[in-house]
């Protein structure tokens, strides 16, 4: 797919200055966060878990988020994934404020644009690898022949071409997490969010999965944000930020 076809990019015909017709310039980020606050009211008073965070992640960019346990990393990803709402601030995904959408439209938006990978694979044990990968397409009422073929191709891309009909119980931990990555990509999202995706894997599997996520991110031009405790993995990302006391520090 050409850059101009990506929703994150706009083709400006007859743009001013030295940009000629059909030059592609970036108008906005896939993920654009401004002054994001998440506040919990506790008996001890209000607690700002996220305290005016701002960050942009474009198509084709990757970002690792590190930080101590309880610092708000999952809260941040859940808000970006529209699974939780900000207390204040602005979150734009693919140029839209998803929190303005009604519940039905928000679910459709999430399913179209955002892929998730969690620490646990959350595969359904009774389904094969291919059927698990198909779930996001089924949820959109789109599980025809093309989708079945796409699920197979995704499993081949994550190195599981010979495990398509295996059930989760017949796969190793690393293989199960690869299926979860293929499932996250099923609907062709531009945004991939991973919350400690290697947290349950040994060192070798962790490295393999991390490299695979970055390869997929680069080849598909995704905006990838990955929370990790693994410093080696974080070091492979183009950008790293530490979340501490509600704020980001660039590393
Ligand atoms: P991390 O992923 O960095 O370990 P989390 O985002 O899961 O951290 O949690 C950040 C903080 O927010 C934790 O201190 C947690 O106790 C607090 N928290 C999460 N949910 C609630 C809630 N519903 N009410 C009050 N505090 C909460
Ligand atoms: Mg967490």
């Amino acid at each position: 797919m050409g850059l101009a076809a990506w929703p994150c990019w706009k083709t400006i015909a007859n743009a001013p200055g030295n940009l000629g017709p059909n030059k592609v310039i970036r108008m906005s980020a896939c993920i654009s966060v401004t002054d994001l606050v998440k506040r919990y009211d506790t008996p001890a008073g209000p607690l700002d878990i996220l305290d005016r965070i701002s960050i942009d992640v474009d198509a084709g960019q990757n970002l690792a988020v590190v930080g101590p346990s309880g610092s708000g990393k999952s809260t941040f990803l859940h808000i970006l994934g529209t699974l939780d709402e900000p207390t204040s601030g602005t979150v734009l995904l693919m140029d839209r404020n998803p929190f303005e959408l009604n519940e039905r439209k928000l679910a459709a938006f999430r399913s179209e644009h955002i892929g998730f990978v969690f620490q646990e694979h959350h595969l359904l044990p009774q389904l094969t690898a291919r059927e698990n990968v198909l779930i996001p397409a089924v949820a959109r009422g789109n599980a025809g022949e093309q989708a079945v073929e796409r699920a197979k191709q995704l499993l081949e891309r994550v190195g599981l071409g010979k495990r398509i009909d295996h059930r989760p119980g017949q796969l190793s931990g690393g293989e199960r997490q690869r299926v979860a990555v293929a499932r996250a990509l099923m609907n062709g999202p531009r945004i991939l969010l991973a919350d400690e995706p290697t947290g349950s894997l040994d060192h070798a599997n962790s490295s393999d999965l991390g490299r695979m996520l970055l390869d997929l991110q680069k080849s598909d031009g995704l905006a990838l944000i990955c929370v990790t405790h693994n410093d080696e993995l974080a070091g492979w990302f183009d950008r790293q930020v530490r979340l501490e006391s509600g704020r980001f520090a660039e590393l």
Side-chain angles (χ1 to χ4, degrees):
M1 189 191 291
L3 275 183
W6 294 357
C8 298
W9 299 73
K10 293 195 176 107
T11 302
I12 304 296
N14 303 317
N18 57 4
L19 287 172
N22 299 322
K23 288 280 183 188
V24 175
I25 62 169
R26 192 177 65 75
M27 295 293 286
S28 59
C30 274
I31 300 169
S32 184
V33 176
T34 310
D35 291 333
L36 172 62
V37 173
K38 184 66 182 182
R39 177 172 301 151
Y40 289 117
D41 290 317
T42 72
L47 186 61
D48 286 358
I49 298 300
L50 304 174
D51 181 13
R52 289 164 294 138
I53 281 185
S54 298
I55 196 154
D56 283 2
V57 182
D58 294 349
Q61 289 189 337
N62 61 64
L63 172 78
V65 179
V66 301
S69 187
S71 58
K73 304 182 297 301
S74 294
T75 303
F76 176 64
L77 273 202
H78 288 167
I79 292 172
L80 291 189
T82 73
L83 300 171
D84 196 359
E85 287 193 5
T87 303
S88 64
T90 311
V91 175
L92 297 179
L93 304 174
M94 316 301 294
D95 294 337
R96 293 206 62 166
N97 176 354
F99 301 105
E100 288 174 354
L101 301 172
N102 66 32
E103 209 172 311
R104 188 179 56 79
K105 285 187 174 159
L106 180 60
F109 178 91
R110 186 188 302 129
S111 141
E112 181 181 355
H113 295 298
I114 307 170
F116 288 98
V117 183
F118 299 98
Q119 178 170 348
E120 301 305 330
H121 52 78
H122 300 302
L123 299 179
L124 295 179
Q126 68 275 30
L127 300 185
T128 64
R130 176 168 21 201
E131 288 164 349
N132 268 288
V133 172
L134 266 170
I135 289 174
V138 174
R140 295 183 77 196
N142 168 31
E145 249 176 63
Q146 271 187 329
V148 172
E149 179 58 26
R150 177 170 167 78
K152 178 170 161 259
Q153 285 168 3
L154 281 166
L155 285 166
E156 284 165 356
R157 281 186 82 187
V158 300
L160 294 176
K162 295 203 164 72
R163 305 281 190 281
I164 283 169
D165 294 317
H166 283 50
R167 291 179 208 285
Q170 301 167 318
L171 296 169
S172 72
E175 288 168 344
R176 286 197 281 265
Q177 201 59 328
R178 283 166 178 263
V179 178
V181 171
R183 181 186 54 193
L185 298 178
M186 182 64 210
N187 287 344
R190 309 309 315 159
I191 296 170
L192 185 58
L193 305 174
D195 194 354
E196 304 199 30
T198 66
S200 299
L201 302 179
D202 63 24
H203 182 259
N205 275 305
S206 188
S207 298
D208 286 352
L209 193 95
R211 289 202 187 280
M212 193 192 76
L213 276 176
L214 284 167
D215 284 349
L216 290 166
Q217 177 265 320
K218 288 203 168 67
S219 61
D220 290 7
L222 306 176
L224 167 66
I225 300 185
C226 178
V227 165
T228 182
H229 275 117
N230 181 331
D231 288 340
E232 186 187 17
L233 173 60
W236 296 339
F237 280 67
D238 296 333
R239 277 165 81 198
Q240 299 104 28
V241 288
R242 172 175 294 278
L243 182 57
E244 206 156 4
S245 306
R247 308 300 301 264
F248 274 158
E250 294 264 353
L251 297 176

